[in-house]
């Protein structure tokens, strides 16, 4: 500091050394005499009680005590003022470099750090939010892809079942009269998918598409899934119908023989033969269908496993988001900022329920001294709080 401290000035040191002991001794004498005189009056009051004469003597004593206080203050004032100046000089230097003191250089630097830390934290939170958003988008993409795969497989199964049912109905409706015609129809039954067939499967979309993904991207996902599935559908369609057609063609001669045998039998025997034929055909069709469904189930499981693997891969990729190289150490706390005066009853209510209700009357009285004093001023005008928990007493002071 450019200003010389008062304590290192020679004249001030001499003043302290020369006057301090004398002033202290004089004040000690005044203090002791005042205390002794006051105790003597208290003793007389205790022995005989308060009288008019003693009341006047006490009043005189109190006046002298006030004057004595002023005299003692005048004697020590120069010294204590000097000490205050010394203390102020020392604490002033400390405050200049104390980061907890407003407007000090360290406090200003700390404020800059706080602003920078808040900025870095907000950037990090924004980065995390964006990473989370991207992760949600990737998850939505993966799920929509899985939904599309499941949807189009279901559409294909319905379409294939329709054609299988048509082929089986042709066989079920074979008679001796239409045998040759049905043999030709079944032998030439179409087992390849056409462009119209593809359109029938692809013209519908999965319900409830994700809103996080643009419509154009959803369309691309559907197109990609269909591009991957259609070759498989073509192969599965042709293979399944070919196997079913060959199976039926292999059963046609034996069915003709059974029909001829039924035609020669009695009505009752013919009905029994036809019933047995129907049961055998239904059992065989059920067996073939069960095998086909098992193959489809295996394909679905493989597709679902692949989708889950892709989803895990996307999650892993998101976890690799680069973390900023530097983040200042911070401590974050919630700072309460009242928006209007209505906030304070709510603040007081929380404080009261959490802490205030557990404090003693003495602690609360000290804490609410200002509010109690205000209510006492209102009482001078006759405005009293009407409550079973409050009692007003008269405080009398002699003047």
């Amino acid at each position: 500091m450019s200003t010389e401290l008062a304590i290192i000035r020679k004249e001030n040191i001499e003043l302290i050394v020369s006057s301090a002991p004398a002033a202290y001794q004089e004040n000690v004498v005044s203090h002791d005499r005042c205390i002794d005189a006051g105790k003597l009056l208290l003793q007389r009051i205790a022995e005989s009680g308060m009288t008019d004469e003693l009341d006047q003597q006490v009043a005189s004593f109190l006046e002298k005590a006030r004057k004595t206080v002023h005299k003692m203050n005048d004697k020590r004032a120069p010294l204590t003022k000097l000490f205050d100046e010394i203390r102020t000089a020392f604490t002033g230097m400390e405050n200049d470099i104390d980061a907890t003191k407003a407007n000090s250089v360290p406090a200003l630097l700390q404020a800059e750090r706080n602003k920078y830390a808040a900025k870095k934290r907000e950037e990090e939170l924004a980065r995390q939010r964006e990473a989370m958003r991207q992760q949600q988008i990737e998850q939505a993409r993966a799920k929509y892809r899985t939904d599309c795969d499941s949807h189009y497989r279901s559409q294909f199964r319905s379409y294939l079942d329709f054609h299988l049912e048509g082929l089986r109905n042709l066989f079920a409706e074979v008679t001796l009269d239409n045998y040759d015609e049905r043999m030709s129809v079944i032998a030439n039954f179409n087992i390849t998918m056409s462009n119209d067939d593809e359109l029938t499967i692809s013209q519908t979309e999965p319900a409830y598409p994700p809103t996080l993904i643009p419509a154009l991207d959803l369309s691309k996902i559907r197109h990609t899934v269909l591009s991957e599935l259609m070759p498989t559908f073509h192969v599965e369609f042709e293979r399944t119908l070919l196997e079913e057609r060959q199976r039926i063609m292999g059963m046609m001669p034996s069915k003709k023989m059974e029909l001829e045998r039924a035609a020669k039998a009695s009505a009752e025997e013919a009905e029994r033969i036809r019933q047995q034929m129907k049961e055998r055909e239904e059992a065989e069709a059920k067996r073939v269908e069960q095998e086909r469904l098992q193959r489809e189930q295996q394909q679905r499981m493989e597709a679902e496993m692949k989708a889950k693997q892709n989803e895990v891969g996307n999650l892993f990729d998101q976890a690799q988001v680069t973390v900023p190289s530097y983040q200042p150490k911070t401590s974050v706390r919630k700072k309460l900022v009242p928006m209007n005066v209505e906030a304070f009853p709510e603040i007081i209510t929380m404080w009261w329920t959490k802490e205030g209700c557990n404090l003693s009357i003495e602690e609360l009285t000290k804490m609410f001294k200002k509010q109690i004093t205000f209510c006492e001023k209102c009482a001078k005008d006759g405005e009293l709080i009407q409550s079973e928990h409050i009692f007003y007493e008269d405080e009398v002071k002699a003047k």
Side-chain angles (χ1 to χ4, degrees), residues 133 136-137 140-141 144 207-218:
R133 190 180 73 87
Q136 291 173 343
I137 290 176
R141 287 179 181 275
Y144 188 64
Y208 308 111
T211 57
L212 290 174
I213 307 175
L216 181 60
D217 290 352
L218 295 176

Side-chain angles (χ1 to χ4, degrees), residues 318-373:
Q318 290 298 320
Q320 302 303 313
V321 177
T322 303
V323 177
S325 58
Y326 172 73
Q327 277 289 322
K329 293 182 179 180
T330 59
S331 62
V332 182
R333 68 180 182 89
K334 297 295 184 183
K335 184 178 180 181
L336 191 151
V337 181
M339 303 297 292
N340 48 57
V341 295
E342 282 77 11
F344 291 94
E346 298 175 6
I347 294 171
I348 294 171
T349 297
M350 173 174 279
W351 170 83
W352 177 258
T353 57
K354 299 289 185 180
E355 181 181 5
C357 63
N358 298 317
L359 298 179
S360 65
I361 293 179
E362 292 74 14
E363 290 173 315
L364 291 170
T365 300
K366 183 178 180 181
M367 187 174 296
F368 287 95
K369 179 63 178 176
K370 184 175 181 180
Q371 289 77 15
I372 292 174
T373 301

Side-chain angles (χ1 to χ4, degrees), residues 27-55:
N27 280 357
V28 167
V29 172
S30 298
H31 166 272
D32 293 345
R33 288 177 178 175
C34 185
I35 293 297
D36 291 341
K39 287 182 177 180
L40 181 59
L41 287 172
L42 286 173
Q43 183 179 355
R44 291 176 59 189
I45 293 171
E47 293 174 351
S48 60
M50 197 66 159
T51 63
D52 291 347
E53 180 181 358
L54 277 175
D55 181 66

Side-chain angles (χ1 to χ4, degrees), residues 187-242:
N188 293 288
F189 192 87
N190 181 40
I191 59 173
T192 60
M193 287 180 60
S194 65
N195 292 334
D196 291 339
D197 297 331
E198 290 186 5
L199 181 62
T200 301
I201 295 173
S202 62
Q203 64 185 355
T204 60
E205 302 174 4
Y208 308 111
T211 57
L212 290 174
I213 307 175
L216 181 60
D217 290 352
L218 295 176
S219 176
K220 290 180 179 179
I221 292 173
R222 293 193 297 271
H223 177 75
T224 300
V225 172
L226 280 169
S227 298
E228 295 173 355
L229 289 177
M230 275 304 173
T232 303
F233 288 167
H234 276 273
V235 172
E236 179 69 12
F237 185 86
E238 183 172 346
R239 182 185 62 78
T240 302
L241 286 178
L242 177 61

